[in-house]
Amino acid sequence: MSAPNRRLRLLTMGYGLLIFIWLSPEDNAVWPVALIGLGLALLSTVWLIQRRLGGSVFPARYVLIGGILLGGIVGLGGALSATGLMFFKNALHAHVFWDFPPAMVLAMLTRAPSWALAGGLAGLGIGCLWLWRGNRESKLKDEVEE
């Protein structure tokens, strides 16, 4: 396992500050919590990849399936994180009338399978672009050598 780099640690601290700022005001808009939850899932996945793979090379044959799986994990984690953040903000503010009603929290939770599918498809697209870019660079390198 390799140590996390400085930029990733600073990004994580900045993201924690963003969550702290979001928790303060009284609001019930869904899109900020959805974006914050998705970002939290993405940041957690980047930490996981960085801790497990570090600087090792990822074989090209695993790029597509890895992209689909990691994208699905990010999508599912985004919905679950957003649900958890909504619940935490409700508990933190402790009002008679919640910022996010239980029906809204449950609706976010029921979207988890579709978010996982969307994340998997996005991961597939990013994996295809990654392979295309690598193939294109190797062809350019071959042309320059000739």
Side-chain angles (χ1 to χ4, degrees):
M1 284 191 244
S2 64
N5 65 18
R6 185 168 192 233
R7 280 186 278 171
L8 184 57
R9 279 186 270 156
L10 287 174
L11 180 67
T12 303
M13 288 190 303
Y15 206 78
L17 182 63
L18 175 72
I19 291 174
F20 181 73
I21 291 169
W22 171 78
L23 282 171
S24 300
E26 301 286 333
D27 69 338
N28 59 357
V30 176
W31 68 269
V33 71
L35 288 177
I36 290 172
L38 187 62
L40 184 61
L42 183 62
L43 189 61
S44 300
T45 305
V46 168
W47 268 96
L48 177 72
I49 291 170
Q50 200 276 332
R51 295 293 280 175
R52 293 291 177 196
L53 296 178
S56 62
V57 177
F58 197 71
R61 66 178 178 263
Y62 298 129
V63 168
L64 291 181
I65 191 69
I68 292 169
L69 289 175
L70 288 174
I73 289 169
V74 169
L76 180 66
L80 296 177
S81 296
T83 303
L85 286 168
M86 291 165 94
F87 182 76
F88 184 72
K89 189 169 185 173
N90 285 336
L92 181 68
H93 288 193
H95 297 242
V96 174
F97 299 105
W98 290 4
D99 290 344
F100 302 103
M104 188 183 289
V105 175
L106 186 61
M108 179 62 76
L109 195 57
T110 59
R111 285 173 173 77
S114 58
W115 279 40
L117 178 63
L121 291 174
L124 175 64
I126 291 170
C128 288
L129 286 173
W130 187 295
L131 289 175
W132 171 77
R133 181 176 168 247
N135 190 21
R136 184 171 170 246
E137 285 178 359
S138 67
K139 284 183 181 180
L140 288 173
K141 203 181 293 182
D142 290 342
E143 289 176 7
V144 169
E145 291 175 358
E146 290 177 358

